Amino acid sequence: MATPAGAAVTSEPETTAQRARRARIIQATLALASRGGYEAVQMREVAERSEVALGTLYRYFPSKVHLLVSAMAHELERMRIRLQRKAIPGTTRQERVSYVLERSTHSLQRDPNLTEALVRAMMAADATVADEVTGVRNQMADLIIQAMRNGSAPSEEDVAYAGILQDVWFARQIAWLGGRVSSEDIWNDIEQAIALVLRD
Amino acid sequence: MATPAGAAVTSEPETTAQRARRARIIQATLALASRGGYEAVQMREVAERSEVALGTLYRYFPSKVHLLVSAMAHELERMRIRLQRKAIPGTTRQERVSYVLERSTHSLQRDPNLTEALVRAMMAADATVADEVTGVRNQMADLIIQAMRNGSAPSEEDVAYAGILQDVWFARQIAWLGGRVSSEDIWNDIEQAIALVLRD
DNA sequence: GCGGATACTAGAACACGTTCTTGTACGGCG
DNA sequence: CGCCGTACAAGAACGTGTTCTAGTATCCGC
């Protein structure tokens, strides 16, 4: 259960300056994404804002997609910490999972540009980004599974359910950024899927 | 129910030469996609192979994503016709839906490069491609719903189920082209989702 | 403190999606 | 038949992700 973090799997020891650079890059990325979405995250601009050379940016994150997926891992980590502060309300699995996914969804959709950038990157990820994407999916699955089991160990079935719900969640995000459904509809669809998948 | 085709919604009357150009473009697209996937479908190359100028290609399909989504609609249409030739085998909803999705999945995965190109385009679609994407999704939903109801009229619930299954189907394709799961695993996951969503 | 490796900077260069420009062919209308 | 507008051809040009080059700084072992 629960991989502690989906962030960098590379366990290279970094100097303080390097950690600071990495942090500046992620911050610049989030700021640009928040302002104008995926297309506004331009590598030259990220490099300039984080005060590193373009080549250095590419040394830290080998592509725009790597960069944005890493930024998403960073955001999810923040959300996980925030959620862990207090117990998840709800007496049934459905209620708790709905709570967690709703919190996450709304927290993201409060910043539609950022969401668009992060989700689009997840979708654009090819095999070279597999590690980072797996990290994000694990973090997300952890959120769902914790809500389902409320602490106790998950069954194999639980993991499968979490996977399906996550698939639906991502697919609905895509539908939203494909302009085919409104952001309220997204939430209705996800709730419906939760009720369906987790019905007793 | 069942929009007859998800292809061009534009009902502009085309001359014979124009229909031929459009067909050549789609064929060239499919050929290139089949050979090298998404990145091998280069607009200059498509234009050259279909013997139209680059500007003309863009007149017919305003972006690479439009082009590939239209190609997917074309392929799904072929599949629909093929499936309609004979009755769908299976006595339960699960069996029939499994049959249809398995046929479709395998038929696509027999050509992984093509699948990668088409699925990636679906994921990359933004609001400007909403019409084409909706067409593809309708075609796909029709396939599933027809399998579920085996002819009779679908309930509102059925449509929702078809939507969820389609979401899972796409999400699993992404997982596959993200290099995170093998093509057998995809199929297991989809079967599992079918069993779960359509359990009685 | 010194030498060599590694990381970083600055910026040019390249690739491909997309747009723009200029000239030409074609199809309908008087 | 001749004219005009629209579609097409050919290719240059532009933007942004990515790579490459040359020079400089920083860090680590001696």
Side-chain angles (χ1 to χ4, degrees):
Chain A
M1 60 154 259
T3 35
V9 189
T10 66
S11 42
E12 307 286 330
E14 283 184 325
T15 70
T16 307
Q18 283 170 332
R19 245 191 312 281
R21 271 191 208 98
R22 187 177 294 273
R24 284 205 308 277
I25 292 172
I26 293 285
Q27 288 311 315
T29 302
L30 291 172
L32 286 171
S34 179
R35 185 145 69 81
Y38 189 81
E39 70 169 11
V41 179
Q42 303 194 352
M43 299 304 268
R44 290 173 179 83
E45 183 80 13
V46 171
E48 191 175 339
R49 290 213 176 194
S50 44
E51 294 177 298
V52 298
L54 190 53
T56 304
L57 172 54
Y58 273 94
R59 170 189 298 277
Y60 281 73
F61 300 97
S63 79
K64 176 169 172 172
V65 171
H66 282 82
L67 174 58
L68 281 165
V69 173
S70 299
M72 178 154 197
H74 181 268
E75 285 300 280
L76 275 180
E77 179 63 14
R78 287 201 335 159
M79 188 168 315
R80 196 174 64 82
I81 290 172
R82 224 182 321 143
L83 274 172
Q84 271 187 347
R85 274 197 215 296
K86 54 192 180 75
I88 298 166
T91 56
T92 67
R93 295 190 300 177
Q94 285 96 319
E95 285 173 12
R96 290 192 300 273
V97 171
S98 285
Y99 173 79
V100 166
L101 283 185
E102 185 168 23
R103 280 280 304 255
S104 310
T105 306
H106 282 178
S107 157
L108 282 179
Q109 299 227 326
R110 197 173 316 127
D111 197 335
N113 286 332
L114 178 59
T115 306
E116 187 256 1
L118 299 182
V119 172
R120 196 170 284 285
M122 284 292 289
M123 298 305 109
D126 66 359
T128 68
V129 207
D131 287 351
E132 286 82 353
V133 171
T134 299
V136 167
R137 284 190 69 95
N138 283 344
Q139 280 183 315
M140 192 130 195
D142 282 354
L143 286 180
I144 297 173
I145 288 171
Q146 276 190 14
M148 279 173 51
R149 305 311 302 175
N150 213 6
S152 60
S155 71
E156 209 173 298
E157 221 181 16
D158 293 337
V159 177
Y161 290 167
I164 291 176
L165 288 178
Q166 192 176 171
D167 284 348
V168 173
W169 188 86
F170 271 112
R172 293 292 83 196
Q173 300 292 327
I174 300 173
W176 165 71
L177 59 84
R180 300 191 308 283
V181 299
S182 72
S183 89
E184 303 88 57
D185 287 344
I186 295 185
W187 182 242
N188 291 336
D189 292 348
I190 294 176
E191 278 251 286
Q192 190 176 7
I194 293 172
L196 179 57
V197 171
L198 296 185
R199 75 191 156 192
D200 296 306
Chain B
M1 62 157 267
T3 34
V9 190
T10 66
S11 42
E12 308 287 330
E14 283 184 326
T15 71
T16 307
Q18 284 171 332
R19 247 190 310 280
R21 272 192 208 96
R22 189 178 293 274
R24 285 204 309 276
I25 292 172
I26 293 285
Q27 287 311 315
T29 302
L30 291 172
L32 286 170
S34 178
R35 186 145 70 82
Y38 188 82
E39 70 169 12
V41 180
Q42 304 195 351
M43 299 304 268
R44 290 174 179 83
E45 182 81 12
V46 171
E48 193 175 338
R49 291 213 175 194
S50 44
E51 293 177 299
V52 298
L54 190 53
T56 304
L57 173 54
Y58 274 93
R59 170 189 299 274
Y60 281 73
F61 301 96
S63 79
K64 175 169 173 172
V65 172
H66 282 82
L67 174 57
L68 282 165
V69 172
S70 299
M72 180 153 193
H74 181 268
E75 285 300 280
L76 275 180
E77 179 63 13
R78 287 201 335 159
M79 190 167 314
R80 196 175 65 82
I81 290 173
R82 223 181 323 141
L83 275 172
Q84 271 188 346
R85 274 196 215 296
K86 55 193 180 72
I88 298 165
T91 55
T92 66
R93 296 190 298 176
Q94 284 96 321
E95 285 173 11
R96 289 192 301 273
V97 171
S98 285
Y99 174 80
V100 166
L101 283 185
E102 185 167 24
R103 279 281 304 255
S104 310
T105 307
H106 281 179
S107 157
L108 281 179
Q109 300 226 327
R110 198 172 315 128
D111 197 336
N113 286 332
L114 177 59
T115 306
E116 187 257 359
L118 299 182
V119 171
R120 197 169 284 286
M122 285 292 290
M123 298 305 109
D126 66 0
T128 68
V129 207
D131 287 351
E132 285 83 353
V133 171
T134 299
V136 167
R137 285 189 69 94
N138 283 343
Q139 281 185 312
M140 194 131 195
D142 282 355
L143 286 180
I144 297 173
I145 289 171
Q146 277 191 15
M148 278 172 52
R149 305 310 303 174
N150 213 7
S152 60
S155 70
E156 209 173 298
E157 221 181 15
D158 293 337
V159 177
Y161 290 168
I164 290 177
L165 287 179
Q166 193 175 171
D167 284 348
V168 172
W169 188 87
F170 270 113
R172 293 293 84 198
Q173 299 293 326
I174 300 173
W176 165 70
L177 61 83
R180 300 193 306 284
V181 299
S182 72
S183 86
E184 304 88 59
D185 286 344
I186 294 185
W187 182 242
N188 290 335
D189 291 350
I190 294 176
E191 278 252 285
Q192 191 175 6
I194 293 172
L196 181 56
V197 171
L198 296 185
R199 75 191 156 192
D200 296 306

